[in-house]
Amino acid sequence: MTTHDNNPLLGKNLRVNADRLWDSLMEMAKIGPGVAGGNNRQTLTDEDAEGRALFQKWCEDAGCSMGLDSMGNMFAMRAGTEPDLLPVYVGSHLDTQPTGGKYDGVLGVLSGLELVRTLNDLDIKTRHPIVVTNWTNEEGTRYAPPMLSSGVFAGIHSEEWAKDRVDINGKRFGDELKRIGWEGDEPVGARKMHAMFELHIEQGPILENEGKDIGVVTHGQGLSWTQITITGRDAHTGSTPMPLRRNAGLAMGRVLEKVDEIALSHAPHAVGAAGHIEVFPNSRNVIPGKVIFTVDFRSPDLDVITDMEARLRQEAQQIADTMGLDIAFEKVGGFDPVTFDDNCVSAIRDAAERLGYSHLNIISGAGHDACWISRVAPTGMIMCPCVDGLSHNEAEDITKEWATAGTDVLLHAVLDTAEIVE
Ligand code: HGY
Ligand code: MN
Ligand code: MN
């Protein structure tokens, strides 16, 4: 077994092919284009199916065999010299937000493909197999909650519950997965992993502001999604006297003020907002009789999340009671803060050191499939900077150098874990 130390080929000179990586990112970005330079390749759409097919072709061209489980999770395996050893997994997600960027998730999948292509170029063999993964529905925008399929894989959700999720048009997850032809036979979660690494853009401003190439992700903050339905009464915006109104829209506004207050009371790490808001009947001259919105709270500290959830319900209930409105709460997503595996974190930090990339320990602000997979396998995350920390926006941007540095570190961390053989 050769490690980096005694094989000059595999030392700091071992790098991926930056142009090929970048070309693949740009090629994938052509599928499900947005309207402002980003992507709208939402899960289980025809565009998602097209992106999956391209990824599968690229993987098979690189000599990988493709596995597909019953949640549509894709597993492209590069054989190791010892097939009975558990594989080292890499990957992320190809689905995007409706106004998403070209790199959120996609970099994590295509960096895994570039890792395989580089090993092929140099005919490097590893003891453990290596598997490049595309997790279905990471974003949770069309089907809540996020990280749905990695959650089923990790035993968090049942497959039945996941497949019964419906989108805003009432389309069922399981039916859409069948419709696009990407429901596999493999039982979800049957695969066992030696380790998993996920490269992802930071989606925040820290690495860029600090001038660091690599984020060594030690923890992931926890997430809580509470969906709130407030019911008042539709009425004419012109002829209804103010005291007689039962204005659900006004109540939502007051609740959202409280969301901001609650999050800020746990500064500097806690965050809170509502990104999903539905107003009924959403007519200019009708007082909203009903609103449905989802409050997204996050913090690295589970006690803080629990406190924010409890205060939200108390405050919102009080606002509804005062205004004579009905209110209902439903927890539609959530996961506890994550501590990533020490050995994976060290492999990532050692790789960055060996390659001469500046690095910083960082807590992930966003949720990722790696957060659930850390429940069933030693898991690590690598981050690269993104411009202005902007993400979930079509203007999301990174540099080829940042993408390449992250992929170089992924390559070395995976090789240290999958073990190179002569
Ligand atoms: O919501 C998240 O943090 C992830 O981007 N799906
Ligand atoms: Mn993502
Ligand atoms: Mn995302």
Side-chain angles (χ1 to χ4, degrees), residues 276-301:
H276 156 240
I277 293 177
E278 294 171 65
V279 178
F280 302 91
N282 203 25
S283 164
R284 287 181 177 79
N285 44 9
V286 179
I287 297 165
K290 181 175 163 186
V291 292
I292 303 175
F293 58 105
T294 302
V295 175
D296 178 323
F297 276 134
R298 309 208 189 188
S299 166
D301 181 335

mmCIF file with all atom_site columns, all heavy atoms in Angstrom, residues 276-301:
data_model
loop_
_atom_site.group_PDB
_atom_site.id
_atom_site.type_symbol
_atom_site.label_atom_id
_atom_site.label_alt_id
_atom_site.label_comp_id
_atom_site.label_asym_id
_atom_site.label_entity_id
_atom_site.label_seq_id
_atom_site.pdbx_PDB_ins_code
_atom_site.Cartn_x
_atom_site.Cartn_y
_atom_site.Cartn_z
_atom_site.occupancy
_atom_site.B_iso_or_equiv
_atom_site.pdbx_formal_charge
_atom_site.auth_seq_id
_atom_site.auth_comp_id
_atom_site.auth_asym_id
_atom_site.auth_atom_id
_atom_site.pdbx_PDB_model_num
ATOM 1   N N   . HIS A 1 276 ? -40.811 30.552 2.079  1.00 0.00 ? 276 HIS A N   1
ATOM 2   C CA  . HIS A 1 276 ? -42.015 30.005 1.431  1.00 0.00 ? 276 HIS A CA  1
ATOM 3   C C   . HIS A 1 276 ? -43.216 30.741 1.994  1.00 0.00 ? 276 HIS A C   1
ATOM 4   O O   . HIS A 1 276 ? -43.462 30.714 3.205  1.00 0.00 ? 276 HIS A O   1
ATOM 5   C CB  . HIS A 1 276 ? -42.109 28.506 1.720  1.00 0.00 ? 276 HIS A CB  1
ATOM 6   C CG  . HIS A 1 276 ? -43.509 27.960 1.621  1.00 0.00 ? 276 HIS A CG  1
ATOM 7   N ND1 . HIS A 1 276 ? -44.151 27.364 2.685  1.00 0.00 ? 276 HIS A ND1 1
ATOM 8   C CD2 . HIS A 1 276 ? -44.392 27.949 0.596  1.00 0.00 ? 276 HIS A CD2 1
ATOM 9   C CE1 . HIS A 1 276 ? -45.380 27.000 2.313  1.00 0.00 ? 276 HIS A CE1 1
ATOM 10  N NE2 . HIS A 1 276 ? -45.544 27.341 1.046  1.00 0.00 ? 276 HIS A NE2 1
ATOM 11  N N   . ILE A 1 277 ? -43.961 31.456 1.122  1.00 0.00 ? 277 ILE A N   1
ATOM 12  C CA  . ILE A 1 277 ? -45.131 32.232 1.574  1.00 0.00 ? 277 ILE A CA  1
ATOM 13  C C   . ILE A 1 277 ? -46.237 32.081 0.534  1.00 0.00 ? 277 ILE A C   1
ATOM 14  O O   . ILE A 1 277 ? -45.993 32.298 -0.666 1.00 0.00 ? 277 ILE A O   1
ATOM 15  C CB  . ILE A 1 277 ? -44.775 33.727 1.723  1.00 0.00 ? 277 ILE A CB  1
ATOM 16  C CG1 . ILE A 1 277 ? -43.775 33.934 2.868  1.00 0.00 ? 277 ILE A CG1 1
ATOM 17  C CG2 . ILE A 1 277 ? -46.034 34.570 1.941  1.00 0.00 ? 277 ILE A CG2 1
ATOM 18  C CD1 . ILE A 1 277 ? -43.313 35.373 3.050  1.00 0.00 ? 277 ILE A CD1 1
ATOM 19  N N   . GLU A 1 278 ? -47.396 31.606 0.978  1.00 0.00 ? 278 GLU A N   1
ATOM 20  C CA  . GLU A 1 278 ? -48.551 31.522 0.055  1.00 0.00 ? 278 GLU A CA  1
ATOM 21  C C   . GLU A 1 278 ? -49.695 32.358 0.638  1.00 0.00 ? 278 GLU A C   1
ATOM 22  O O   . GLU A 1 278 ? -50.021 32.232 1.814  1.00 0.00 ? 278 GLU A O   1
ATOM 23  C CB  . GLU A 1 278 ? -49.024 30.066 -0.102 1.00 0.00 ? 278 GLU A CB  1
ATOM 24  C CG  . GLU A 1 278 ? -48.016 29.142 -0.791 1.00 0.00 ? 278 GLU A CG  1
ATOM 25  C CD  . GLU A 1 278 ? -48.456 27.687 -0.704 1.00 0.00 ? 278 GLU A CD  1
ATOM 26  O OE1 . GLU A 1 278 ? -49.506 27.340 -1.289 1.00 0.00 ? 278 GLU A OE1 1
ATOM 27  O OE2 . GLU A 1 278 ? -47.764 26.910 -0.012 1.00 0.00 ? 278 GLU A OE2 1
ATOM 28  N N   . VAL A 1 279 ? -50.264 33.225 -0.166 1.00 0.00 ? 279 VAL A N   1
ATOM 29  C CA  . VAL A 1 279 ? -51.349 34.104 0.296  1.00 0.00 ? 279 VAL A CA  1
ATOM 30  C C   . VAL A 1 279 ? -52.593 33.748 -0.515 1.00 0.00 ? 279 VAL A C   1
ATOM 31  O O   . VAL A 1 279 ? -52.534 33.634 -1.738 1.00 0.00 ? 279 VAL A O   1
ATOM 32  C CB  . VAL A 1 279 ? -50.966 35.579 0.054  1.00 0.00 ? 279 VAL A CB  1
ATOM 33  C CG1 . VAL A 1 279 ? -52.098 36.501 0.486  1.00 0.00 ? 279 VAL A CG1 1
ATOM 34  C CG2 . VAL A 1 279 ? -49.688 35.921 0.814  1.00 0.00 ? 279 VAL A CG2 1
ATOM 35  N N   . PHE A 1 280 ? -53.724 33.575 0.176  1.00 0.00 ? 280 PHE A N   1
ATOM 36  C CA  . PHE A 1 280 ? -54.974 33.245 -0.522 1.00 0.00 ? 280 PHE A CA  1
ATOM 37  C C   . PHE A 1 280 ? -56.022 34.317 -0.221 1.00 0.00 ? 280 PHE A C   1
ATOM 38  O O   . PHE A 1 280 ? -56.137 34.730 0.939  1.00 0.00 ? 280 PHE A O   1
ATOM 39  C CB  . PHE A 1 280 ? -55.481 31.879 -0.024 1.00 0.00 ? 280 PHE A CB  1
ATOM 40  C CG  . PHE A 1 280 ? -54.493 30.767 -0.236 1.00 0.00 ? 280 PHE A CG  1
ATOM 41  C CD1 . PHE A 1 280 ? -53.567 30.445 0.767  1.00 0.00 ? 280 PHE A CD1 1
ATOM 42  C CD2 . PHE A 1 280 ? -54.440 30.079 -1.438 1.00 0.00 ? 280 PHE A CD2 1
ATOM 43  C CE1 . PHE A 1 280 ? -52.643 29.426 0.570  1.00 0.00 ? 280 PHE A CE1 1
ATOM 44  C CE2 . PHE A 1 280 ? -53.508 29.059 -1.638 1.00 0.00 ? 280 PHE A CE2 1
ATOM 45  C CZ  . PHE A 1 280 ? -52.615 28.729 -0.631 1.00 0.00 ? 280 PHE A CZ  1
ATOM 46  N N   . PRO A 1 281 ? -56.755 34.781 -1.212 1.00 0.00 ? 281 PRO A N   1
ATOM 47  C CA  . PRO A 1 281 ? -56.720 34.335 -2.612 1.00 0.00 ? 281 PRO A CA  1
ATOM 48  C C   . PRO A 1 281 ? -55.670 35.080 -3.439 1.00 0.00 ? 281 PRO A C   1
ATOM 49  O O   . PRO A 1 281 ? -55.660 34.960 -4.647 1.00 0.00 ? 281 PRO A O   1
ATOM 50  C CB  . PRO A 1 281 ? -58.122 34.667 -3.108 1.00 0.00 ? 281 PRO A CB  1
ATOM 51  C CG  . PRO A 1 281 ? -58.493 35.883 -2.345 1.00 0.00 ? 281 PRO A CG  1
ATOM 52  C CD  . PRO A 1 281 ? -57.860 35.736 -0.985 1.00 0.00 ? 281 PRO A CD  1
ATOM 53  N N   . ASN A 1 282 ? -54.830 35.903 -2.797 1.00 0.00 ? 282 ASN A N   1
ATOM 54  C CA  . ASN A 1 282 ? -53.757 36.592 -3.524 1.00 0.00 ? 282 ASN A CA  1
ATOM 55  C C   . ASN A 1 282 ? -54.325 37.499 -4.623 1.00 0.00 ? 282 ASN A C   1
ATOM 56  O O   . ASN A 1 282 ? -53.840 37.513 -5.767 1.00 0.00 ? 282 ASN A O   1
ATOM 57  C CB  . ASN A 1 282 ? -52.797 35.553 -4.137 1.00 0.00 ? 282 ASN A CB  1
ATOM 58  C CG  . ASN A 1 282 ? -51.407 36.171 -4.388 1.00 0.00 ? 282 ASN A CG  1
ATOM 59  O OD1 . ASN A 1 282 ? -51.039 37.141 -3.731 1.00 0.00 ? 282 ASN A OD1 1
ATOM 60  N ND2 . ASN A 1 282 ? -50.686 35.629 -5.352 1.00 0.00 ? 282 ASN A ND2 1
ATOM 61  N N   . SER A 1 283 ? -55.410 38.190 -4.236 1.00 0.00 ? 283 SER A N   1
ATOM 62  C CA  . SER A 1 283 ? -56.048 39.136 -5.183 1.00 0.00 ? 283 SER A CA  1
ATOM 63  C C   . SER A 1 283 ? -55.878 40.552 -4.628 1.00 0.00 ? 283 SER A C   1
ATOM 64  O O   . SER A 1 283 ? -56.015 40.778 -3.426 1.00 0.00 ? 283 SER A O   1
ATOM 65  C CB  . SER A 1 283 ? -57.544 38.797 -5.308 1.00 0.00 ? 283 SER A CB  1
ATOM 66  O OG  . SER A 1 283 ? -58.227 39.878 -5.904 1.00 0.00 ? 283 SER A OG  1
ATOM 67  N N   . ARG A 1 284 ? -55.603 41.491 -5.493 1.00 0.00 ? 284 ARG A N   1
ATOM 68  C CA  . ARG A 1 284 ? -55.244 42.843 -5.036 1.00 0.00 ? 284 ARG A CA  1
ATOM 69  C C   . ARG A 1 284 ? -56.329 43.488 -4.183 1.00 0.00 ? 284 ARG A C   1
ATOM 70  O O   . ARG A 1 284 ? -56.033 44.330 -3.328 1.00 0.00 ? 284 ARG A O   1
ATOM 71  C CB  . ARG A 1 284 ? -54.939 43.723 -6.245 1.00 0.00 ? 284 ARG A CB  1
ATOM 72  C CG  . ARG A 1 284 ? -53.603 43.370 -6.905 1.00 0.00 ? 284 ARG A CG  1
ATOM 73  C CD  . ARG A 1 284 ? -53.309 44.273 -8.096 1.00 0.00 ? 284 ARG A CD  1
ATOM 74  N NE  . ARG A 1 284 ? -51.993 43.964 -8.678 1.00 0.00 ? 284 ARG A NE  1
ATOM 75  C CZ  . ARG A 1 284 ? -51.777 42.929 -9.480 1.00 0.00 ? 284 ARG A CZ  1
ATOM 76  N NH1 . ARG A 1 284 ? -52.795 42.113 -9.798 1.00 0.00 ? 284 ARG A NH1 1
ATOM 77  N NH2 . ARG A 1 284 ? -50.567 42.685 -9.965 1.00 0.00 ? 284 ARG A NH2 1
ATOM 78  N N   . ASN A 1 285 ? -57.602 43.117 -4.426 1.00 0.00 ? 285 ASN A N   1
ATOM 79  C CA  . ASN A 1 285 ? -58.642 43.829 -3.649 1.00 0.00 ? 285 ASN A CA  1
ATOM 80  C C   . ASN A 1 285 ? -59.412 42.872 -2.744 1.00 0.00 ? 285 ASN A C   1
ATOM 81  O O   . ASN A 1 285 ? -60.613 43.062 -2.514 1.00 0.00 ? 285 ASN A O   1
ATOM 82  C CB  . ASN A 1 285 ? -59.589 44.574 -4.597 1.00 0.00 ? 285 ASN A CB  1
ATOM 83  C CG  . ASN A 1 285 ? -59.984 43.714 -5.796 1.00 0.00 ? 285 ASN A CG  1
ATOM 84  O OD1 . ASN A 1 285 ? -59.683 42.510 -5.813 1.00 0.00 ? 285 ASN A OD1 1
ATOM 85  N ND2 . ASN A 1 285 ? -60.628 44.324 -6.763 1.00 0.00 ? 285 ASN A ND2 1
ATOM 86  N N   . VAL A 1 286 ? -58.665 41.841 -2.234 1.00 0.00 ? 286 VAL A N   1
ATOM 87  C CA  . VAL A 1 286 ? -59.266 40.943 -1.230 1.00 0.00 ? 286 VAL A CA  1
ATOM 88  C C   . VAL A 1 286 ? -58.325 40.843 -0.035 1.00 0.00 ? 286 VAL A C   1
ATOM 89  O O   . VAL A 1 286 ? -57.132 40.545 -0.183 1.00 0.00 ? 286 VAL A O   1
ATOM 90  C CB  . VAL A 1 286 ? -59.474 39.519 -1.807 1.00 0.00 ? 286 VAL A CB  1
ATOM 91  C CG1 . VAL A 1 286 ? -60.078 38.605 -0.721 1.00 0.00 ? 286 VAL A CG1 1
ATOM 92  C CG2 . VAL A 1 286 ? -60.396 39.574 -3.017 1.00 0.00 ? 286 VAL A CG2 1
ATOM 93  N N   . ILE A 1 287 ? -58.874 41.136 1.137  1.00 0.00 ? 287 ILE A N   1
ATOM 94  C CA  . ILE A 1 287 ? -58.088 40.948 2.374  1.00 0.00 ? 287 ILE A CA  1
ATOM 95  C C   . ILE A 1 287 ? -57.765 39.456 2.498  1.00 0.00 ? 287 ILE A C   1
ATOM 96  O O   . ILE A 1 287 ? -58.678 38.624 2.396  1.00 0.00 ? 287 ILE A O   1
ATOM 97  C CB  . ILE A 1 287 ? -58.901 41.418 3.602  1.00 0.00 ? 287 ILE A CB  1
ATOM 98  C CG1 . ILE A 1 287 ? -59.172 42.921 3.489  1.00 0.00 ? 287 ILE A CG1 1
ATOM 99  C CG2 . ILE A 1 287 ? -58.164 41.064 4.897  1.00 0.00 ? 287 ILE A CG2 1
ATOM 100 C CD1 . ILE A 1 287 ? -60.259 43.391 4.433  1.00 0.00 ? 287 ILE A CD1 1
ATOM 101 N N   . PRO A 1 288 ? -56.499 39.061 2.669  1.00 0.00 ? 288 PRO A N   1
ATOM 102 C CA  . PRO A 1 288 ? -56.172 37.628 2.673  1.00 0.00 ? 288 PRO A CA  1
ATOM 103 C C   . PRO A 1 288 ? -56.870 36.891 3.816  1.00 0.00 ? 288 PRO A C   1
ATOM 104 O O   . PRO A 1 288 ? -56.686 37.218 4.989  1.00 0.00 ? 288 PRO A O   1
ATOM 105 C CB  . PRO A 1 288 ? -54.653 37.606 2.891  1.00 0.00 ? 288 PRO A CB  1
ATOM 106 C CG  . PRO A 1 288 ? -54.175 38.972 2.597  1.00 0.00 ? 288 PRO A CG  1
ATOM 107 C CD  . PRO A 1 288 ? -55.307 39.894 2.868  1.00 0.00 ? 288 PRO A CD  1
ATOM 108 N N   . GLY A 1 289 ? -57.677 35.891 3.403  1.00 0.00 ? 289 GLY A N   1
ATOM 109 C CA  . GLY A 1 289 ? -58.366 35.096 4.420  1.00 0.00 ? 289 GLY A CA  1
ATOM 110 C C   . GLY A 1 289 ? -57.506 33.951 4.926  1.00 0.00 ? 289 GLY A C   1
ATOM 111 O O   . GLY A 1 289 ? -57.784 33.326 5.926  1.00 0.00 ? 289 GLY A O   1
ATOM 112 N N   . LYS A 1 290 ? -56.404 33.684 4.164  1.00 0.00 ? 290 LYS A N   1
ATOM 113 C CA  . LYS A 1 290 ? -55.567 32.553 4.598  1.00 0.00 ? 290 LYS A CA  1
ATOM 114 C C   . LYS A 1 290 ? -54.141 32.774 4.115  1.00 0.00 ? 290 LYS A C   1
ATOM 115 O O   . LYS A 1 290 ? -53.925 33.313 3.002  1.00 0.00 ? 290 LYS A O   1
ATOM 116 C CB  . LYS A 1 290 ? -56.111 31.255 3.989  1.00 0.00 ? 290 LYS A CB  1
ATOM 117 C CG  . LYS A 1 290 ? -55.342 29.989 4.369  1.00 0.00 ? 290 LYS A CG  1
ATOM 118 C CD  . LYS A 1 290 ? -56.057 28.757 3.808  1.00 0.00 ? 290 LYS A CD  1
ATOM 119 C CE  . LYS A 1 290 ? -55.197 27.527 3.783  1.00 0.00 ? 290 LYS A CE  1
ATOM 120 N NZ  . LYS A 1 290 ? -55.867 26.394 3.106  1.00 0.00 ? 290 LYS A NZ  1
ATOM 121 N N   . VAL A 1 291 ? -53.195 32.418 4.958  1.00 0.00 ? 291 VAL A N   1
ATOM 122 C CA  . VAL A 1 291 ? -51.773 32.428 4.548  1.00 0.00 ? 291 VAL A CA  1
ATOM 123 C C   . VAL A 1 291 ? -51.141 31.126 5.021  1.00 0.00 ? 291 VAL A C   1
ATOM 124 O O   . VAL A 1 291 ? -51.531 30.574 6.051  1.00 0.00 ? 291 VAL A O   1
ATOM 125 C CB  . VAL A 1 291 ? -50.990 33.624 5.145  1.00 0.00 ? 291 VAL A CB  1
ATOM 126 C CG1 . VAL A 1 291 ? -51.450 34.950 4.569  1.00 0.00 ? 291 VAL A CG1 1
ATOM 127 C CG2 . VAL A 1 291 ? -51.081 33.614 6.658  1.00 0.00 ? 291 VAL A CG2 1
ATOM 128 N N   . ILE A 1 292 ? -50.217 30.616 4.215  1.00 0.00 ? 292 ILE A N   1
ATOM 129 C CA  . ILE A 1 292 ? -49.413 29.449 4.617  1.00 0.00 ? 292 ILE A CA  1
ATOM 130 C C   . ILE A 1 292 ? -47.959 29.836 4.394  1.00 0.00 ? 292 ILE A C   1
ATOM 131 O O   . ILE A 1 292 ? -47.601 30.306 3.296  1.00 0.00 ? 292 ILE A O   1
ATOM 132 C CB  . ILE A 1 292 ? -49.741 28.203 3.756  1.00 0.00 ? 292 ILE A CB  1
ATOM 133 C CG1 . ILE A 1 292 ? -51.230 27.865 3.821  1.00 0.00 ? 292 ILE A CG1 1
ATOM 134 C CG2 . ILE A 1 292 ? -48.911 27.003 4.244  1.00 0.00 ? 292 ILE A CG2 1
ATOM 135 C CD1 . ILE A 1 292 ? -51.633 26.702 2.897  1.00 0.00 ? 292 ILE A CD1 1
ATOM 136 N N   . PHE A 1 293 ? -47.129 29.727 5.429  1.00 0.00 ? 293 PHE A N   1
ATOM 137 C CA  . PHE A 1 293 ? -45.716 30.097 5.266  1.00 0.00 ? 293 PHE A CA  1
ATOM 138 C C   . PHE A 1 293 ? -44.848 29.200 6.140  1.00 0.00 ? 293 PHE A C   1
ATOM 139 O O   . PHE A 1 293 ? -45.327 28.582 7.091  1.00 0.00 ? 293 PHE A O   1
ATOM 140 C CB  . PHE A 1 293 ? -45.496 31.588 5.587  1.00 0.00 ? 293 PHE A CB  1
ATOM 141 C CG  . PHE A 1 293 ? -45.914 32.024 6.971  1.00 0.00 ? 293 PHE A CG  1
ATOM 142 C CD1 . PHE A 1 293 ? -44.952 32.278 7.946  1.00 0.00 ? 293 PHE A CD1 1
ATOM 143 C CD2 . PHE A 1 293 ? -47.256 32.189 7.297  1.00 0.00 ? 293 PHE A CD2 1
ATOM 144 C CE1 . PHE A 1 293 ? -45.328 32.701 9.226  1.00 0.00 ? 293 PHE A CE1 1
ATOM 145 C CE2 . PHE A 1 293 ? -47.646 32.599 8.572  1.00 0.00 ? 293 PHE A CE2 1
ATOM 146 C CZ  . PHE A 1 293 ? -46.683 32.859 9.539  1.00 0.00 ? 293 PHE A CZ  1
ATOM 147 N N   . THR A 1 294 ? -43.576 29.080 5.763  1.00 0.00 ? 294 THR A N   1
ATOM 148 C CA  . THR A 1 294 ? -42.653 28.191 6.492  1.00 0.00 ? 294 THR A CA  1
ATOM 149 C C   . THR A 1 294 ? -41.535 29.012 7.107  1.00 0.00 ? 294 THR A C   1
ATOM 150 O O   . THR A 1 294 ? -40.847 29.760 6.406  1.00 0.00 ? 294 THR A O   1
ATOM 151 C CB  . THR A 1 294 ? -42.035 27.142 5.537  1.00 0.00 ? 294 THR A CB  1
ATOM 152 O OG1 . THR A 1 294 ? -43.101 26.389 4.935  1.00 0.00 ? 294 THR A OG1 1
ATOM 153 C CG2 . THR A 1 294 ? -41.112 26.191 6.307  1.00 0.00 ? 294 THR A CG2 1
ATOM 154 N N   . VAL A 1 295 ? -41.362 28.874 8.409  1.00 0.00 ? 295 VAL A N   1
ATOM 155 C CA  . VAL A 1 295 ? -40.289 29.586 9.122  1.00 0.00 ? 295 VAL A CA  1
ATOM 156 C C   . VAL A 1 295 ? -39.065 28.672 9.204  1.00 0.00 ? 295 VAL A C   1
ATOM 157 O O   . VAL A 1 295 ? -39.166 27.540 9.680  1.00 0.00 ? 295 VAL A O   1
ATOM 158 C CB  . VAL A 1 295 ? -40.751 29.998 10.531 1.00 0.00 ? 295 VAL A CB  1
ATOM 159 C CG1 . VAL A 1 295 ? -39.589 30.620 11.317 1.00 0.00 ? 295 VAL A CG1 1
ATOM 160 C CG2 . VAL A 1 295 ? -41.919 30.992 10.426 1.00 0.00 ? 295 VAL A CG2 1
ATOM 161 N N   . ASP A 1 296 ? -37.938 29.174 8.701  1.00 0.00 ? 296 ASP A N   1
ATOM 162 C CA  . ASP A 1 296 ? -36.675 28.434 8.671  1.00 0.00 ? 296 ASP A CA  1
ATOM 163 C C   . ASP A 1 296 ? -35.769 29.019 9.750  1.00 0.00 ? 296 ASP A C   1
ATOM 164 O O   . ASP A 1 296 ? -35.319 30.158 9.641  1.00 0.00 ? 296 ASP A O   1
ATOM 165 C CB  . ASP A 1 296 ? -36.046 28.616 7.272  1.00 0.00 ? 296 ASP A CB  1
ATOM 166 C CG  . ASP A 1 296 ? -34.682 27.933 7.118  1.00 0.00 ? 296 ASP A CG  1
ATOM 167 O OD1 . ASP A 1 296 ? -33.908 27.927 8.090  1.00 0.00 ? 296 ASP A OD1 1
ATOM 168 O OD2 . ASP A 1 296 ? -34.384 27.441 6.015  1.00 0.00 ? 296 ASP A OD2 1
ATOM 169 N N   . PHE A 1 297 ? -35.562 28.255 10.838 1.00 0.00 ? 297 PHE A N   1
ATOM 170 C CA  . PHE A 1 297 ? -34.623 28.650 11.905 1.00 0.00 ? 297 PHE A CA  1
ATOM 171 C C   . PHE A 1 297 ? -33.396 27.747 11.820 1.00 0.00 ? 297 PHE A C   1
ATOM 172 O O   . PHE A 1 297 ? -33.523 26.548 11.559 1.00 0.00 ? 297 PHE A O   1
ATOM 173 C CB  . PHE A 1 297 ? -35.252 28.468 13.294 1.00 0.00 ? 297 PHE A CB  1
ATOM 174 C CG  . PHE A 1 297 ? -36.106 29.605 13.770 1.00 0.00 ? 297 PHE A CG  1
ATOM 175 C CD1 . PHE A 1 297 ? -37.351 29.350 14.351 1.00 0.00 ? 297 PHE A CD1 1
ATOM 176 C CD2 . PHE A 1 297 ? -35.687 30.929 13.666 1.00 0.00 ? 297 PHE A CD2 1
ATOM 177 C CE1 . PHE A 1 297 ? -38.157 30.392 14.815 1.00 0.00 ? 297 PHE A CE1 1
ATOM 178 C CE2 . PHE A 1 297 ? -36.479 31.971 14.123 1.00 0.00 ? 297 PHE A CE2 1
ATOM 179 C CZ  . PHE A 1 297 ? -37.708 31.701 14.693 1.00 0.00 ? 297 PHE A CZ  1
ATOM 180 N N   . ARG A 1 298 ? -32.186 28.316 12.085 1.00 0.00 ? 298 ARG A N   1
ATOM 181 C CA  . ARG A 1 298 ? -30.975 27.489 12.099 1.00 0.00 ? 298 ARG A CA  1
ATOM 182 C C   . ARG A 1 298 ? -30.014 27.979 13.195 1.00 0.00 ? 298 ARG A C   1
ATOM 183 O O   . ARG A 1 298 ? -29.983 29.176 13.502 1.00 0.00 ? 298 ARG A O   1
ATOM 184 C CB  . ARG A 1 298 ? -30.248 27.559 10.754 1.00 0.00 ? 298 ARG A CB  1
ATOM 185 C CG  . ARG A 1 298 ? -31.193 27.276 9.591  1.00 0.00 ? 298 ARG A CG  1
ATOM 186 C CD  . ARG A 1 298 ? -30.540 26.700 8.407  1.00 0.00 ? 298 ARG A CD  1
ATOM 187 N NE  . ARG A 1 298 ? -31.493 26.673 7.281  1.00 0.00 ? 298 ARG A NE  1
ATOM 188 C CZ  . ARG A 1 298 ? -31.248 26.082 6.126  1.00 0.00 ? 298 ARG A CZ  1
ATOM 189 N NH1 . ARG A 1 298 ? -30.101 25.485 5.935  1.00 0.00 ? 298 ARG A NH1 1
ATOM 190 N NH2 . ARG A 1 298 ? -32.162 26.083 5.167  1.00 0.00 ? 298 ARG A NH2 1
ATOM 191 N N   . SER A 1 299 ? -29.276 27.027 13.740 1.00 0.00 ? 299 SER A N   1
ATOM 192 C CA  . SER A 1 299 ? -28.245 27.359 14.733 1.00 0.00 ? 299 SER A CA  1
ATOM 193 C C   . SER A 1 299 ? -27.330 26.146 14.918 1.00 0.00 ? 299 SER A C   1
ATOM 194 O O   . SER A 1 299 ? -27.791 25.010 14.749 1.00 0.00 ? 299 SER A O   1
ATOM 195 C CB  . SER A 1 299 ? -28.884 27.708 16.083 1.00 0.00 ? 299 SER A CB  1
ATOM 196 O OG  . SER A 1 299 ? -27.881 27.706 17.103 1.00 0.00 ? 299 SER A OG  1
ATOM 197 N N   . PRO A 1 300 ? -26.068 26.369 15.276 1.00 0.00 ? 300 PRO A N   1
ATOM 198 C CA  . PRO A 1 300 ? -25.184 25.244 15.592 1.00 0.00 ? 300 PRO A CA  1
ATOM 199 C C   . PRO A 1 300 ? -25.535 24.606 16.945 1.00 0.00 ? 300 PRO A C   1
ATOM 200 O O   . PRO A 1 300 ? -25.015 23.550 17.282 1.00 0.00 ? 300 PRO A O   1
ATOM 201 C CB  . PRO A 1 300 ? -23.788 25.877 15.650 1.00 0.00 ? 300 PRO A CB  1
ATOM 202 C CG  . PRO A 1 300 ? -23.925 27.274 15.166 1.00 0.00 ? 300 PRO A CG  1
ATOM 203 C CD  . PRO A 1 300 ? -25.365 27.655 15.279 1.00 0.00 ? 300 PRO A CD  1
ATOM 204 N N   . ASP A 1 301 ? -26.410 25.292 17.711 1.00 0.00 ? 301 ASP A N   1
ATOM 205 C CA  . ASP A 1 301 ? -26.724 24.835 19.072 1.00 0.00 ? 301 ASP A CA  1
ATOM 206 C C   . ASP A 1 301 ? -28.165 24.334 19.140 1.00 0.00 ? 301 ASP A C   1
ATOM 207 O O   . ASP A 1 301 ? -29.123 25.095 18.919 1.00 0.00 ? 301 ASP A O   1
ATOM 208 C CB  . ASP A 1 301 ? -26.526 26.043 20.028 1.00 0.00 ? 301 ASP A CB  1
ATOM 209 C CG  . ASP A 1 301 ? -26.795 25.672 21.475 1.00 0.00 ? 301 ASP A CG  1
ATOM 210 O OD1 . ASP A 1 301 ? -27.568 24.706 21.711 1.00 0.00 ? 301 ASP A OD1 1
ATOM 211 O OD2 . ASP A 1 301 ? -26.265 26.353 22.365 1.00 0.00 ? 301 ASP A OD2 1
#
